[in-house]
Amino acid sequence: MKIKTQRPRGMRDVFGDESDFYLKIRDLITNFSVLNGFRYVETPLVENIKTFTSSLGESSDVVSKEMFVIKGKEKGDVLVLRPEGTAGVIRAYFENGWQNFTQPVSVFYLGKMFRRERPQYGRLREHTQWGIEIINSEDPFADFFTIFVFFRFLNQIKIRNFKVKINSLGCQRCRRKYRTQLINFYKKYKNKICVDCQRRLTLNPLRLLDCKNPQDQEYKKKAPNILNYLCKFCELHFQKVIEFLDYFKIPYELDSTLVRGFDYYSRTVFEIFVENEEIALGGGGRYDLGEIMSNIPLPSCGGAMGIERLKIILDKIDFKIKKSSSKIFVAFAGEETKAKAFEIFLDLQGNNFFPVANFFKSSLSGQLDYANKLGIKHALILGFHELGQGTIILKDMEYGSQEILKLSNLTKELKKIVG
Ligand code: AMP
């Protein structure tokens, strides 16, 4: 049947098996995010254009070429369909006084983003992102944890053939120094690099490292390495992130050419790639949009994954959403026990439990309140005393009874009690 109208280019209607999939994956992601300590946040699908021009950068591809603009009647009243989630979330943080909640504020969103790109494989003009943000934490553990959450999620849905690429862009001061060196280097090849790179050289030199053009790869290889320009503080921060990844055996690959598309990133950046797929499944990093939006420092970290791209990957493997395993809350009393608690968390995960924790709440009572809110029946509590004794407390959250378990055969003991 012929109708007089069509759906917009690069956008899709979803129904049948496909819409069933999206319903299930939304449920899975929502539960997973809450169990990992993130609260759901919703911000408008449209924002004032300034939310993005000031933060992503005027010269970023998204701002300069890809925004869907809605002009209002009044002068200067320009709204855009949001191209990404982070800037709107930080705007909401300031506008709604989320400073008054316990910090850091960990939130997740699951919603549509709009970019006027050339539609192609895995690249739509309307797509869905699952994003997480840990707002107001300078701790390198937050960078690590952001990557860990995506790593854990992909493992849970049996996607194993992926790698995490990671880099540090340093702070503004490191980048300023680096940018000068990069420009000096590329100027020598000004007439040899592709037209896009010639434009980047004047507008946004860091994006030179993003060039995929085969003829430019030899220059990219020889270009100065940003990691050699990090200041003492940025170097130490990055070292700590890497140490966490190493310690908890999260596989990664250092890639000093990874720069990401938006200007707001500083220090850690990462991207997740599935084997044999050229386009990224997810990405993110550390940023300070507080400084950019209101001159108030707000060190934060976050990342996002594309749900349509996730579906492309899941369609290639035999994916079924399984009933989840027994949930055990892992709580720690004091910073000294946090690393060990995280080790126990990973051990439980490797033994078919579903460990739940909130590593960003430092008070024990705050963590146990969180477990109660989630309705989790069993909590393991690691105190300084127990750590010294090689034991841990198992608390029945319903009846309040407690028993002591040995750490050396924790998972066996737990299986007997919790099943
Ligand atoms: P970005 O902030 O650009 O790194 O986007 C985060 C994630 O969203 C990407 O890793 C993709 O999975 C997904 N994504 C970004 N742009 C598109 C697009 N045009 N079409 C489909 N998915 C996208």
Side-chain angles (χ1 to χ4, degrees):
M1 193 178 65
K2 224 173 155 193
I3 54 167
K4 290 185 178 156
T5 182
Q6 282 177 335
R7 66 170 178 266
R9 189 164 171 244
M11 303 195 182
R12 308 177 58 242
D13 303 309
V14 177
F15 184 63
D17 286 352
E18 202 180 353
S19 59
D20 291 347
F21 166 84
Y22 284 119
L23 263 188
K24 280 193 199 144
I25 203 84
R26 275 178 172 275
D27 255 13
L28 188 76
I29 288 175
T30 303
N31 279 326
F32 180 86
S33 306
V34 172
L35 291 174
N36 279 283
F38 295 86
R39 285 187 90 171
Y40 181 61
V41 65
E42 258 185 39
T43 57
L45 283 183
V46 290
E47 291 276 353
N48 190 301
I49 192 166
K50 282 193 211 115
T51 307
F52 303 109
T53 45
S54 64
S55 57
L56 312 192
E58 302 266 4
S59 61
S60 65
D61 284 352
V62 167
V63 168
S64 63
K65 310 190 265 202
E66 296 169 1
M67 289 214 285
F68 282 94
V69 179
I70 310 164
K71 285 214 169 85
K73 284 205 179 105
E74 287 151 41
K75 200 171 165 248
D77 175 17
V78 184
L79 299 175
V80 291
L81 294 183
R82 65 179 182 194
E84 62 95 62
T86 306
V89 169
I90 300 301
R91 185 222 16 91
Y93 177 95
F94 284 116
E95 236 178 311
N96 299 290
W98 296 352
Q99 297 95 317
N100 299 323
F101 290 112
T102 316
Q103 307 291 305
V105 174
S106 301
V107 296
F108 79 99
Y109 55 83
L110 193 52
K112 298 282 189 182
M113 306 296 157
F114 302 85
R115 297 180 189 176
R116 202 187 275 274
E117 299 194 73
R118 194 165 58 80
Q120 51 190 299
Y121 175 76
R123 210 173 279 289
L124 296 158
R125 289 187 162 188
E126 179 192 41
H127 71 278
T128 319
Q129 284 189 16
W130 164 42
I132 57 172
E133 314 289 349
I134 302 168
I135 308 168
N136 203 2
S137 170
E138 207 164 10
D139 191 342
F141 186 80
D143 310 43
F144 157 75
F145 195 72
T146 306
I147 297 172
F148 171 76
V149 167
F150 291 116
F151 170 84
R152 185 182 189 200
F153 179 74
L154 292 178
N155 266 287
Q156 193 187 324
I157 58 173
K158 306 279 182 284
I159 296 181
R160 307 230 193 264
N161 55 341
F162 66 91
K163 61 180 169 204
V164 180
K165 289 189 178 181
I166 180 168
N167 190 22
S168 174
L169 300 178
C171 58
Q172 274 191 22
R173 261 192 304 148
C174 313
R175 269 202 305 281
R176 213 172 296 133
K177 255 193 322 186
Y178 176 66
R179 198 178 284 129
T180 315
Q181 296 303 319
L182 194 66
I183 293 172
N184 289 343
F185 170 82
Y186 268 98
K187 265 187 183 160
K188 291 187 271 182
Y189 307 102
K190 204 173 157 195
N191 300 323
K192 297 189 175 157
I193 52 181
C194 68
V195 190
D196 268 347
C197 279
Q198 289 176 8
R199 195 173 45 87
R200 288 177 185 130
L201 187 56
T202 42
L203 284 180
N204 195 345
L206 238 61
R207 298 283 292 177
L208 284 160
L209 300 175
D210 221 15
C211 178
K212 304 280 181 301
N213 198 324
Q215 80 188 47
D216 287 10
Q217 297 310 303
E218 60 171 304
Y219 310 117
K220 206 165 114 173
K221 261 193 220 142
K222 287 192 234 148
N225 183 335
I226 191 154
L227 294 176
N228 296 330
Y229 293 82
L230 299 187
C231 66
K232 216 171 58 215
F233 301 105
C234 291
E235 191 180 82
L236 192 66
H237 185 95
F238 194 47
Q239 212 175 326
K240 287 249 166 70
V241 178
I242 297 291
E243 274 171 20
F244 279 127
L245 291 169
D246 283 338
Y247 189 77
F248 296 117
K249 300 193 177 59
I250 311 297
Y252 64 90
E253 194 182 292
L254 281 180
D255 180 351
S256 60
T257 64
L258 182 68
V259 285
R260 306 269 304 135
F262 310 141
D263 284 1
Y264 60 58
Y265 287 106
S266 62
R267 295 194 167 169
T268 316
V269 285
F270 70 90
E271 266 178 6
I272 301 168
F273 287 89
V274 170
E275 232 170 63
N276 302 325
E277 298 282 346
E278 281 198 6
I279 43 178
L281 175 57
R286 177 164 282 286
Y287 56 89
D288 194 336
L289 278 168
E291 278 284 6
I292 297 171
M293 286 184 182
S294 64
N295 291 325
I296 300 171
L298 189 69
S300 308
C301 206
M305 188 177 273
I307 304 305
E308 290 78 8
R309 289 197 189 167
L310 183 65
K311 182 161 192 318
I312 294 180
I313 314 292
L314 287 175
D315 282 347
K316 294 183 185 170
I317 58 174
D318 187 20
F319 168 69
K320 294 208 178 48
I321 293 176
K322 273 200 336 199
K323 187 177 146 286
S324 64
S325 337
S326 305
K327 293 186 188 85
I328 311 274
F329 196 84
V330 183
F332 57 98
E335 283 297 306
E336 306 89 341
T337 56
K338 183 164 147 182
K340 183 68 187 173
F342 198 77
E343 251 178 61
I344 294 168
F345 180 95
L346 291 182
D347 192 34
L348 293 177
Q349 182 172 288
N351 279 283
N352 290 325
F353 289 101
F354 193 102
V356 180
N358 194 329
F359 290 101
F360 293 96
K361 282 199 190 299
S362 48
S363 89
L364 180 60
S365 60
Q367 293 172 54
L368 294 179
D369 277 354
Y370 189 72
N372 264 329
K373 243 191 232 156
L374 298 175
I376 297 178
K377 187 165 159 49
H378 294 98
L380 288 167
I381 303 170
L382 187 67
F384 196 62
H385 174 73
E386 287 76 31
L387 184 64
Q389 304 274 310
T391 60
I392 194 161
I393 299 167
L394 174 67
K395 180 169 177 164
D396 186 313
M397 299 293 283
E398 202 178 340
Y399 299 109
S401 56
Q402 295 194 169
E403 58 188 298
I404 305 285
L405 302 181
K406 280 209 178 97
L407 282 177
S408 53
N409 56 353
L410 180 64
T411 48
K412 261 198 204 144
E413 287 295 307
L414 268 181
K415 275 203 177 121
K416 279 193 235 151
I417 302 167
V418 182

